[in-house]
């Protein structure tokens, strides 16, 4: 069942908006052997199944219960979908194991997805963790800023 690039993008939008904005990971939109390639906390991880998606989303939603995903750009062709996105939320639960800061945070990133038979088969994510750590005051801004 090969879908159009537009249909693949619509599935990705539905999946990521549901996951980030409501906390519901739509397993029906993931291939059973889906692989999540991500780099969180400086560690590169490639995990099969939905556990990685659920872990990352759960971590950020636990830290920022009001988190909201905004997809700022959508590029899609054949079986690939790329989204440039922004997460906004208030750090009331402590991001990445740090104490809660109470700060409003904005984090940007890019996700690339490979679709197969109408389901997400692989995801790669690049996240601006440095910018997040600077907002939290853990890492100082560069000199002159």
């Amino acid at each position: 069942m090969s879908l159009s690039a537009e249909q693949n993008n619509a599935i990705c939008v539905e999946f990521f908006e549901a996951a980030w904005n409501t906390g519901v990971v739509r397993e029906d939109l993931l291939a059973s052997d889906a692989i999540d390639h991500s780099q969180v906390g400086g560690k590169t991880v490639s995990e099969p199944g939905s556990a990685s998606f659920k872990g990352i989303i759960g971590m950020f939603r636990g830290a920022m219960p009001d988190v909201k995903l905004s997809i700022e750009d959508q590029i899609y062709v054949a079986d690939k979908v790329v989204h440039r996105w922004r997460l906004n939320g208030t750090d009331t639960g402590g991001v990445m194991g740090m104490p809660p800061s109470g700060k409003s945070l904005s984090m940007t990133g890019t996700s690339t997805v490979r679709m197969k038979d109408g389901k997400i088969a692989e995801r790669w994510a690049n996240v601006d963790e440095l910018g997040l750590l600077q907002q939290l005051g853990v890492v100082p801004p560069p000199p002159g800023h």
Side-chain angles (χ1 to χ4, degrees):
M1 172 178 78
S2 185
L3 299 181
S4 71
E6 291 81 8
Q7 290 169 311
N8 284 334
N9 182 60
I11 290 166
C12 288
V13 169
E14 185 176 344
F15 177 85
F16 290 111
E17 285 184 346
W20 286 105
N21 297 338
T22 70
V24 175
V25 174
R26 295 276 311 274
E27 295 208 37
D28 61 312
L29 301 179
L30 285 176
S32 60
D33 59 350
I35 299 174
D36 185 35
H37 307 278
S38 60
Q39 227 179 341
V40 175
K43 297 176 195 158
T44 301
V45 178
S46 290
E47 292 184 38
S50 62
S52 180
F53 287 104
K54 289 179 177 178
I56 292 167
I57 291 164
M59 176 185 63
F60 281 103
R61 285 189 55 81
M64 301 183 293
D66 64 344
V67 72
K68 174 80 172 141
L69 170 76
S70 301
I71 299 173
E72 299 186 342
D73 276 314
Q74 304 172 38
I75 303 166
Y76 42 92
V77 63
D79 67 342
K80 293 289 189 331
V81 176
V82 179
H83 289 162
R84 183 176 62 86
W85 47 262
R86 177 177 302 276
L87 290 177
N88 292 306
T90 308
D91 175 23
T92 59
V95 175
M96 294 167 39
M98 292 179 264
S101 69
K103 294 181 178 181
S104 291
L105 303 175
S106 184
M107 183 171 66
T108 59
T110 304
S111 294
T112 303
V113 171
R114 181 179 64 82
M115 299 292 292
K116 183 179 177 189
D117 298 329
K119 296 184 183 241
I120 295 170
E122 286 187 270
R123 178 191 81 114
W124 296 264
N126 291 302
V127 179
D128 180 17
E129 287 187 11
L130 177 59
L132 178 65
L133 293 172
Q134 288 174 332
Q135 290 175 67
L136 290 167
V138 175
V139 174
H145 284 59

